[in-house]
Amino acid sequence: MSAPLEIRVPGDKSLSHRALIFAALASGRSRVRDILESADVNSTAGVLRALGVPVPPLGRDISIDGSGARALTAPSIDLDCGNSGTTTRLMAGVAAGCDFRSRFIGDSSLSRRPMKRVARPLAAMGARVELQLGDGLPMVISGGTLKPIAWSSETASAQIKSAILLAGIVGGVDVEVTEPSRSRDHTERMLRALGASVEVDGTRVRVAALRGALSPLDIRVPADPSSAAFLIALAVLATDSPVSVPNVCLNPTRIGFFDMLRTMGGFVRIDAGPDQGGEPTGTIIGSHSELSAITVGEAQVPSMIDELPLLACIASRARGTTEIGGAEELRVKESDRIATVVSNLRAIGASADERPDGLTVEGSQKPLRGRVTTHGDHRIAMAFGILGALPGNEIEIDDPACVAVSYPAFWDDVARAKARR
Ligand code: S3P
């Protein structure tokens, strides 16, 4: 293997949202380095500013003065969450614990996404939650006095879980959440690091009402495994361009994609590094390899939920037919990612079929050509962008700028990897 090209990808999106929210709820000055500077994280920053938190413009090294979990103030404007489901659902939990009225709005994609999944548990805790269109946004929350809850979630979703945990922290009550399988656990890890009492037992999490204040954070945000996945996929699919991505968050609830790529026959090496901000980190190296089809089932979905569009695109280059099932959650992401991936694979000449809970993709080596309709979905643009970067393929993306949601420098990094060939 020739020396890999090192590409640093931006900070983890899930950790960046949480770093801002916990810095706002802590008492004292927090320091956040290497935060993801993207549209979604800016949405969280904007919502916190509207609630009276002095969040500076995002940058490599920022400080935030938090005044405690009960110090947010009533907003005089709507809370605009842009395209960001994480902003909406996590901040809905925060708003449920605050004794004022908050109105959440977002762009057309976010406005269609289901919010009952957080409205129900927050209402069961005693918040008044009004979904003005039945489900989706606008959502109005009048919070305040909450009661403890033990909630059993139908969906493995870190956003639902985190909304309830945050409502407990801000509302000052004990909360317990049980999920069908384990979703990403960044909220639990961060809460524990800041002094909250967090008990985890399999798929059940309990957080006790805060006794004192949350301590301020000092975090260097590791790189996002969901962003690293695109460059590693490119290294595996392209013929002669090994890539290494350093300092990636290797939280076990996030790295299912890399295991799956290995199962397909991909060369993927992970070199463990130090823990950072309560999360394991390390370097991921990918290199060209022939791939075979695989089957993905429900148990594997949560640890690779955001990477499934990319996996489906990779499957179009693998030997055999890949089946992805147990993934109905894909239908309620930034776009209906089952429909979007299948229609776009077909639009570029690949063979794919929808299933109610997933999709089937037939691999081939024929050149792929055509135009991709992203529906403004950043992960669709990037997944098909990787196919478009392979020699022989000619793929036009209708809205390449939508990558700004999570990975603004994506096209530059892909161009660097291509230039090496
Ligand atoms: C996220 C959780 C996931 C993921 C999203 C980020 C988070 O959503 O798809 O991109 O930061 O909590 P669900 O929790 O709804 O599965």
Side-chain angles (χ1 to χ4, degrees), residues 12 14-33 35 48 53 55 61-68 166 186-195 213-222 276-279:
D12 186 72
S14 292
L15 287 170
S16 296
H17 287 295
R18 287 161 174 80
L20 291 181
I21 294 171
F22 285 118
L25 300 180
S27 294
R29 174 162 296 186
S30 290
R31 182 176 185 195
V32 183
R33 280 171 281 180
I35 195 165
L48 288 168
V53 184
V55 181
D61 188 348
I62 57 171
S63 296
I64 298 166
D65 290 314
S67 304
L166 282 162
H186 305 301
T187 302
E188 297 90 302
R189 285 172 184 255
M190 223 179 253
L191 271 174
R192 191 177 280 138
L194 303 186
L214 287 177
S215 326
L217 339 56
D218 184 354
I219 184 179
R220 199 182 270 280
V221 179
Q276 204 171 295
E279 300 277 347

Side-chain angles (χ1 to χ4, degrees), residues 12-18 40 84-87 89-90 113 117 155-162 179 183-187 224 226 254 301-302 304-307 329-330 332-334 337 378-379:
D12 186 72
K13 181 156 78 70
S14 292
L15 287 170
S16 296
H17 287 295
R18 287 161 174 80
D40 264 16
S84 175
T86 309
T87 305
R89 299 198 179 109
L90 270 57
R113 295 180 65 188
R117 48 179 59 201
T155 313
S157 159
Q159 295 182 356
I160 302 174
K161 174 175 65 181
S162 301
E179 304 184 272
S183 64
R184 64 191 67 189
D185 65 351
H186 305 301
T187 302
D224 196 324
S226 298
R254 294 288 303 282
V301 166
M304 52 188 304
I305 182 74
D306 292 336
E307 288 66 70
E329 270 299 290
L330 289 178
V332 291
K333 293 293 181 187
E334 286 84 328
R337 287 183 174 161
H378 56 134
R379 297 206 195 277

